[in-house]
Amino acid sequence: MVDIPCRLPRLAVGATIASLMVTAFAHAAADGPGRVGFGRRLVEEVCGECHRVSQPPTAKPPPMQEDLAAPDLVERMRDPGITEMALRSYLQTSHPVMPNIRLSREETDDVVAYLMSLKGGLP
């Protein structure tokens, strides 16, 4: 009698890995470029001193927001005119009342991904 090894476990593992990879790539393609978590940290660090940048709203606005009337970015994301393209354009343009912040392409992708994610969490 010839002992033939069973290849079923190896095939099942391979199929599972392939399935997970396809799911991950499909999810990444649907979400577009950028990493929401990195974007949130960057927005909180760079923009959070003047703007409300995350939910839920804090009890007190950032210190400079009261003095400068800096827009609430969470609220601004309610505007249907705020699109990915509009955000990218805004981030590449200097503004007189804001510091001149230069972001790399990857940082811009992350910031845009985070801000666009706020649209999904709004009522």
Side-chain angles (χ1 to χ4, degrees), residues 51-117:
H51 300 274
R52 181 169 76 103
V53 296
S54 61
Q55 295 189 47
T58 56
K60 179 178 160 190
M64 291 183 68
Q65 186 176 358
E66 293 172 340
D67 298 337
L68 300 175
D72 177 329
L73 298 183
V74 175
E75 185 63 33
R76 289 288 294 137
M77 292 311 295
R78 291 181 187 272
D79 183 343
I82 305 293
T83 63
E84 182 178 334
M85 187 173 9
L87 286 172
R88 288 181 185 283
S89 174
Y90 191 83
L91 290 169
Q92 294 174 357
T93 306
S94 62
H95 299 86
V97 295
M98 285 180 47
N100 191 18
I101 298 165
R102 297 190 182 268
L103 300 173
S104 69
R105 180 177 293 175
E106 186 175 79
E107 289 169 330
T108 300
D109 289 345
D110 295 345
V111 167
V112 169
Y114 170 65
L115 292 174
M116 292 301 291
S117 78

Side-chain angles (χ1 to χ4, degrees), residues 29-53:
D31 287 346
R35 300 161 299 178
V36 173
F38 285 101
R40 180 179 181 144
R41 283 193 292 278
L42 187 58
V43 168
E44 287 173 347
E45 180 181 307
V46 175
C47 312
E49 187 174 330
C50 300
H51 300 274
R52 181 169 76 103
V53 296

